[in-house]
């Protein structure tokens, strides 16, 4: 029964309040006294956590799981846990989880799959669009290929809309319950708001929270070294997640999120190389070699740039190999393995000129291609007006995401400018631009 869940009422209290920093816009727990590191705030028996294996219709659970395995879903846990929630909602008061599910929201309204087409238009070119899967499309596939048939066969009253809505709740609240139970919903534990960096508690993520000595229960404990002061909001972490992931799966964004990244893909590089005058045949031949040597893991590989505006080494290797003149490239194209290719690129690049020893691959051609790719990316973001942000919480989230990504890309451009001193025609396009040592910070 739900009364088996233990909460330290003197340590925490439930309150509906606006989030301080990160957060998910839900009820949160706030300390009513100073809390020390290691203190246990709550204990939730695993049997009270809702997973596919604990749902009230085992035959449905078995059928759903079998189809998930058959379909080889990338995130089968999400389909399974959403189906379990739908089953309990179908059972209503007959569900042992009734007291819990009646306080859950009907849906998580701000996850991207709930947005209108017009609202999603503001996410064009962001990491949500270019780097993450379309959860609405995945939900439809799960319903059409798995859930609908099973539910009809077992008289579970549900529809795609109800399944999708349940799926958004699971997406934003699920935990790894235990190695045997898998991923599911944990009462009380799912009330904590999120903060990327500087969280206060640990909930069932393998850091000592799951304790078999406590009769298979999840323990919510303070992990912040200095504890938490009375009256302060207590934050959990859902992982080191950037705003694109937070918005897509949880329905919110965090200002100054330290986990934010912007990716450049091989397609971005190909287009940028063509825009600065590299011939199509050279681009095609060079990428054939790049793929054959495993400098990239796949033809559509991407490279993440973090908030420190650091360009990944692999991005540099790929751009250098794509744009250098044939006379230079001829010295590395004999290599057939990744390590040998990297060593050859570094050796040849260093031999080209003694300056900029810390970043020998930073030729003018390389700078032009990367700068072109970034400038093109910057030009494609949507603009969210102040009035729109004020009226629509979703667009406020989109604006925070866009601002963060633009800040990263502009930071890279500022550092690249220090390498982009023009060279005269007789010096050749592959001479590195002169730069001060401060520009090396880009590649540390």
């Amino acid at each position: 029964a739900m009364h088996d869940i233990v909460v330290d009422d003197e340590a925490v209290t439930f309150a509906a309040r606006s989030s301080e920093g990160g957060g998910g816009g839900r009820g949160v727990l706030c300390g009513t006294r100073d809390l020390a590191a290691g203190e246990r705030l709550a204990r939730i028996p695993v049997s009270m956590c809702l997973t596919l294996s604990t749902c009230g219709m085992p035959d449905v659970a078995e059928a759903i799981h079998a189809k998930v395995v058959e379909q080889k879903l990338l995130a089968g846990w999400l389909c399974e846990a959403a189906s379990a929630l739908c089953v309990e909602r179908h059972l209503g008061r007959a569900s042992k989880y009734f007291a819990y599910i009646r306080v859950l929201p009907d849906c998580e309204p701000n996850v991207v799959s709930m947005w209108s087409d017009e609202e999603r238009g503001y996410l064009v070119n962001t990491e949500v669009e270019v780097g993450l899967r379309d959860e609405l499309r995945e939900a439809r596939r799960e319903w059409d290929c798995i859930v609908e048939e099973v539910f009809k066969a077992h008289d579970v009253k549900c529809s795609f809309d109800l399944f999708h809505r349940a799926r958004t709740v699971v997406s934003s609240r699920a935990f790894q319950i235990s190695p045997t139970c898998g991923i599911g919903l944990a009462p009380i534990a799912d009330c904590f708001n999120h903060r990327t960096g500087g969280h206060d508690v640990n909930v069932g993520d393998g850091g000592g929270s799951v304790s078999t000595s406590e009769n298979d229960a999840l323990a919510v404990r303070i992990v912040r070294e200095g504890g938490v002061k009375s009256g302060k909001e207590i934050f959990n972490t859902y992982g080191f997640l950037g705003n694109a992931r937070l918005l897509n799966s949880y329905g919110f964004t965090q200002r100054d999120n330290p986990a934010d990244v912007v990716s450049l893909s091989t397609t971005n590089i190909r287009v940028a190389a063509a825009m600065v005058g590299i011939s199509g045949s050279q681009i095609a031949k060079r990428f054939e070699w790049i793929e054959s040597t495993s400098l990239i893991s796949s033809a559509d590989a991407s490279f993440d740039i973090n908030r420190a505006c650091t360009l990944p080494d692999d991005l540099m290797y790929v751009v250098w190999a794509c744009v250098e003149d044939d006379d230079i490239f001829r010295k590395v194209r004999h290599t057939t393995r990744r390590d040998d290719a990297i060593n050859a690129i570094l050796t040849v690049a260093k031999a080209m000129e003694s300056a900029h020893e810390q970043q020998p691959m930073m030729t003018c051609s390389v700078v032009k291609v990367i700068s072109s790719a970034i400038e093109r990316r910057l030009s494609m973001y949507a603009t969210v007006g102040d009035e729109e942000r004020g009226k629509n919480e979703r667009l406020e989230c989109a604006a925070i995401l866009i601002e963060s990504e633009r800040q990263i890309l502009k930071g890279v451009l500022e550092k690249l400018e220090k390498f982009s001193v023009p060279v005269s025609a007789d010096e050749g396009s592959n001479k590195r631009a002169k730069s001060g040592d401060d520009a090396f910070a880009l590649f540390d």
Side-chain angles (χ1 to χ4, degrees), residues 47-351:
S47 61
M48 290 296 98
C49 298
L50 174 56
T51 67
L52 186 68
S53 63
T54 64
C55 82
M57 298 180 69
D59 50 346
V60 173
E62 183 178 352
I64 290 288
H65 178 68
K67 281 190 166 291
V68 165
V69 172
E70 177 185 322
Q71 292 290 326
K72 299 179 180 179
L73 296 184
L74 291 176
W77 66 268
L78 186 49
C79 176
E80 292 182 345
S83 298
L85 179 54
C86 289
V87 166
E88 300 308 316
R89 285 177 166 174
H90 162 76
L91 293 174
R93 290 184 176 274
S95 168
K96 75 172 184 176
Y97 299 101
F98 180 70
Y100 172 48
I101 61 176
R102 71 176 180 176
V103 299
L104 284 174
D106 172 62
C107 67
E108 200 65 50
N110 288 335
V111 298
V112 174
S113 68
M114 297 293 292
W115 292 28
S116 68
D117 290 341
E118 181 180 359
E119 290 168 332
R120 293 187 69 158
Y122 286 92
L123 297 176
V124 64
N125 197 53
T126 67
E127 288 299 301
V128 170
E129 183 192 63
V130 303
L132 300 178
R133 69 178 189 168
D134 185 331
E135 293 298 338
L136 181 58
R137 183 175 59 209
E138 289 300 314
R140 172 56 74 178
R141 177 193 169 199
E142 292 164 8
W143 175 258
D144 290 344
C145 299
I146 297 172
V147 181
E148 182 179 25
E149 179 182 342
V150 173
F151 279 6
K152 281 185 176 179
H154 295 85
D155 296 321
V156 177
K157 293 181 175 61
C158 194
S159 64
F160 170 69
D161 181 60
L162 292 176
F163 171 73
H164 175 220
R165 296 172 85 82
R167 193 178 184 275
T168 66
V169 173
V170 170
S171 170
S172 65
R173 291 173 177 260
F175 288 90
Q176 175 70 46
I177 304 301
S178 74
T180 54
C181 293
I183 298 174
L185 297 173
I188 304 299
D190 64 3
C191 291
F192 291 89
N193 273 324
H194 162 87
R195 177 184 286 155
T196 299
H199 63 285
D200 305 303
V201 296
N202 182 10
V203 183
D205 61 2
S209 295
V210 179
S211 173
T212 54
S213 65
E214 294 190 27
N215 299 318
D216 294 323
L218 297 181
V220 182
R221 298 185 186 277
I222 295 291
V223 295
R224 179 180 286 277
E225 185 174 344
V228 182
K229 295 296 182 182
S230 174
K232 294 292 185 180
E233 182 171 2
I234 303 171
F235 287 99
N236 184 24
T237 179
Y238 309 157
F240 193 69
L241 304 177
N243 278 329
R245 287 281 304 280
L246 289 178
L247 186 56
N248 204 43
S249 296
Y250 300 92
F252 66 92
T253 50
Q254 176 182 330
R255 291 189 181 277
D256 302 317
N257 189 328
D260 275 344
V261 297
V262 181
S263 62
L264 290 181
S265 67
T266 52
T267 299
N268 296 145
I269 295 168
R270 287 173 180 265
V271 171
M275 290 176 68
V276 301
I278 307 297
S279 71
S281 60
Q282 174 173 320
I283 295 170
K285 290 177 181 178
R286 297 295 177 83
F287 266 94
E288 183 178 346
W289 177 84
I290 288 167
E291 292 176 35
S292 71
T293 56
S294 297
L295 280 179
I296 53 178
S297 56
S298 63
D300 59 349
S302 62
F303 311 90
D304 289 346
I305 305 172
N306 59 26
R307 283 184 64 85
C309 305
T310 303
L311 291 177
D313 288 341
D314 282 358
L315 172 62
M316 297 300 301
Y317 301 143
V318 168
V319 177
W320 188 95
C322 177
V323 303
E324 289 306 317
D325 288 345
D326 285 339
D327 289 343
I328 300 297
F329 179 70
R330 190 174 296 116
K331 300 176 181 179
V332 303
R333 70 180 181 187
H334 64 281
T335 57
T336 58
R337 299 186 305 173
R338 173 181 167 82
D339 289 346
D340 293 338
I342 291 173
N343 288 333
I345 288 172
L346 291 172
T347 299
V348 172
K350 289 176 182 178

Side-chain angles (χ1 to χ4, degrees), residues 19-35:
S19 168
E20 301 173 3
R26 61 191 63 173
V28 299
L29 291 95
C30 304
T32 58
R33 58 177 171 79
D34 289 353
L35 304 172

Side-chain angles (χ1 to χ4, degrees), residues 331-380:
K331 300 176 181 179
V332 303
R333 70 180 181 187
H334 64 281
T335 57
T336 58
R337 299 186 305 173
R338 173 181 167 82
D339 289 346
D340 293 338
I342 291 173
N343 288 333
I345 288 172
L346 291 172
T347 299
V348 172
K350 289 176 182 178
M352 288 170 61
E353 187 177 336
S354 59
H356 307 314
E357 293 180 357
Q358 290 176 280
Q359 188 41 246
M361 291 178 291
M362 189 48 62
T363 66
C364 284
S365 294
V366 169
V367 169
K368 285 180 181 178
V369 168
I370 297 177
S371 296
S372 176
I374 291 175
E375 288 167 354
R376 185 170 183 270
R377 181 80 182 262
L378 282 168
S379 71
M380 295 173 67

